[in-house]
Structure formats: structure tokens, C-alpha cells
Amino acid sequence: MAQGPQLRVAGIPVRVEPTFLVVLVLLGLPQPWFHVLTWVAIATASVLLHELGHAVAFRAYGIRPSIVLHGFGGLTSGSGELTPARRIVVSLAGPLSALVLFGLPAVALQASGAVSPGDASVVLRQVVWINVGWSVLNLLPVLPLDGGQVFLDVCDIVTKGRGRRAAELVSVVVAVVLALWAISAGVLFGAVMAGGFAALNLAQLRKVRQDELADRLDTAHRALLGHRPAEARAEVDDVLRRRPADTVLGWAAELRGWSVLMAGDVAGAEEAVRQAAPLHQPSAALRAAVALASGRYDEGVAVMAWAFAHDRTGPPKSLGAVAVGGTGTAGPVARELLLMGDEGRAGAVLLRDLLAYAGYQGAAAEVEAVLAPSA
Ligand SMILES: [Zn+2]
């Protein structure tokens, strides 16, 4: 479906997808057929020139490019890494080629008055429209347009690699302004496109923010594995104040419970989870750890074994192993696990490895001893 004729232009592979021509025809439609034809020819040549600009710049840096023309314009890709400064040159080479080689000469010709009204002037207007209009639009600082890519690389250079967030924020603002302008000018296609760019960058911003919060929870998790509950608690509470979503919220609430438990407030641990996220239940491993810490030994061992055999959420088990190691219950939990068939045996192996990882070598050996005879 995505295939199309494959050509080579100046040794550069160019693939033209059928959607490219379909969209061009649709964009040219409310005109006489002759002008639709000239529009498709001119737009194809202009988009190709734009992409060849990128491709030639890629080649100047020793990277082999390839070009695809598809329904939303063109794309030139090259395999290999470039420095931000070189990426800026590659990004600018596209729109500037079309602007300088086709756009400005056409504007000069138009201004000279040498072309009389008629078919020739319509064709000239088409050349100006796509090579000036499309190139200038492409230079706006909106990702994923070329100008957005340039702005991102500039931000990366200024902030030493941490520019993406600023570039995405600017993309949203400029795209929204562009969409409003397109609506007021009655350019429906432009409004849809700009709205799409705004939505794309907003989604990206949101995802990056959640990823950052998840990274901070990793820090908290490591602090708990290293028996530093106060440090973990501070990190988790700060993440919770930033209103994490879905899975990040659930994990933050769970870690909050573990921080409270490991700080010595056994009775408050499960409540701390529910306070942070009313819809999130404490994990089985946390409930087991609370039982063990409260002296409800049999319940703690049984629930912990169940957690290692059957609970699908992985991360709380590493903290469960810390609780098992700290309460000296590795042997009993492992024996309970071996009563649970294959899943129990896999759970015991996991418990052994997590105990070793958390520094409870003696407890890990105890689990190994339980595992060994039936191996
Ligand atoms: Zn481009």
C-alpha cells in the first residue's frame, strides 16, 4: 500500500507514494483541469527540489540520503548521526533551496510585469505560492517542520541537549496561533494541519513529563532498596504534588506506602497508599510486609508467597524481598512458594535473585537451599 514508483534523481533514491499525487490533485481541484495539471507538476517539482536540498546537504556530510514523497509532503532521511549544527544546515537546506531557486526568481518575474495576465501568470502564481508560501511555513518554529527542527537544535545547543521541552512548548504556541489565523482566513486545510501540529506537540510534552516523573520514582525506589526511606518519601511526595497520571500515580502511591512502612509507621503504610491515590490498592507485597512488621507472621508469609507466585506487577516485589530479608522469613516464604507449583518455583527463583540484589546474601542462600533438593 505504501509502495510507489522508485526513481533516482542525481543518484538519490526517490519514492513517490500514490497518496502524494492524490492529495496534490485534491488541493488543486477547484480550478480548470489545465491549471490542476500545471499545479500538480509544479508542486511535485517544488517539493522534490525542497527534499533534494536536504539530500544534498546530507551527502555533503557523508550521509547517504533517500527521499519519500507522501500524502503530507516529503521526507528525506539519512542513516547516521549528525551534530546539532550540521542538522541545522540540513534542515535549512530544504526550504531555502525551494525559496532561492524557484520562489524568489518567480517573485522577481512577477514584479517585473513581463508576464501578461493569462495561463502563464496563473502558472507563475502557482510557482510563487508553493515555493514562497510552503517554504516560509516550513521555516516556522513548529515541530516536526524544518523550522521546528532548527529551533530544537538551537535550543539543544544553548541548553546542552535539554532543549526538547522548550521547542515543543514554542511549537504548541505557534501552531495554535497559526490555526487561529487559518480559521479566520478561511483556510480549512491550514487550520486542520496547524491543529494537528499543536496536538502532536502537546501529546509529546505530556509524555515527556510523565517519563520524567517515572525517572524520579526510580530514584525513590533505589533509595528504599538502600534503606533510605526519608529520602524516598521526599522524592515521592514531590512527584505526587506534580499530579502524575495513571500508572505513574499508582507506583508513586505504592512507593509512598513503602516509605511510610520503612520509616517505622507500620499502621500508617496502607492508608498512605490510599490517601495518595484513592483508586489504587496497596500491592500484595506491601500488605504482606505490613503483616510481617506487625508480627502477623503466618499471614505475612502466605501473602508474600502469593505475591511472588501470582502478582503480575513486578516492581513491588523488589521491596517485598527487602521486607523478607529484613524479617528473616526467606526460608518460610520459599517453602510456601514451592507448594504453589511451577509459578511458585519461578517466584522462589525471583525471590532468591532479588534478595541477593538487595544485599541479603544469607537469605538468598536460604532460598537456594529450599530450591535445591527438588531441583
Ligand atoms: Zn523539509
Coordinates of all heavy atoms in Angstrom, one line a residue, residues 50-51 54 74 91 94-95 138 146, ligand 1:
H50 N 12.8 20.9 -2.8 CA 13.0 21.1 -1.3 C 13.7 19.8 -0.7 O 14.7 20.0 0.0 CB 11.6 21.2 -0.7 CG 11.5 21.2 0.8 ND1 11.0 22.3 1.5 CD2 11.8 20.3 1.7 CE1 11.0 22.1 2.8 NE2 11.5 20.9 2.9
E51 N 13.2 18.6 -1.0 CA 13.8 17.4 -0.5 C 15.2 17.2 -1.0 O 16.1 16.8 -0.2 CB 12.9 16.2 -0.8 CG 11.5 16.3 -0.2 CD 11.5 16.5 1.3 OE1 12.4 16.1 2.0 OE2 10.5 17.3 1.7
H54 N 17.6 19.1 1.2 CA 18.0 18.3 2.4 C 19.1 17.2 2.0 O 20.1 17.0 2.7 CB 16.8 17.6 3.0 CG 15.8 18.5 3.6 ND1 16.1 19.4 4.5 CD2 14.5 18.5 3.5 CE1 15.0 20.0 5.0 NE2 14.0 19.5 4.3
G74 N 7.0 15.7 1.9 CA 8.1 14.9 1.6 C 8.9 14.6 2.8 O 8.7 15.2 3.9
S91 N 18.5 20.9 7.8 CA 17.1 21.3 7.9 C 16.8 22.6 7.0 O 15.8 22.7 6.3 CB 16.7 21.6 9.3 OG 16.8 20.5 10.1
G94 N 16.5 22.5 2.8 CA 15.3 22.2 2.1 C 14.5 23.4 1.7 O 14.4 23.8 0.5
P95 N 13.9 24.1 2.7 CA 13.1 25.3 2.4 C 13.9 26.4 1.7 O 13.4 27.0 0.8 CB 12.6 25.8 3.8 CG 13.3 25.0 4.8 CD 13.9 23.8 4.2
N138 N 7.3 26.3 6.3 CA 8.2 25.2 6.8 C 9.3 25.8 7.7 O 9.9 25.1 8.4 CB 8.9 24.6 5.6 CG 8.5 23.1 5.5 OD1 8.9 22.3 6.3 ND2 7.8 22.8 4.5
D146 N 10.6 21.8 9.3 CA 12.0 22.0 9.3 C 12.4 23.1 10.3 O 13.4 23.0 11.0 CB 12.5 22.4 7.9 CG 12.4 21.3 6.9 OD1 12.7 20.1 7.3 OD2 12.0 21.5 5.7
Ligands
ZN1 ZN 12.0 19.8 4.7

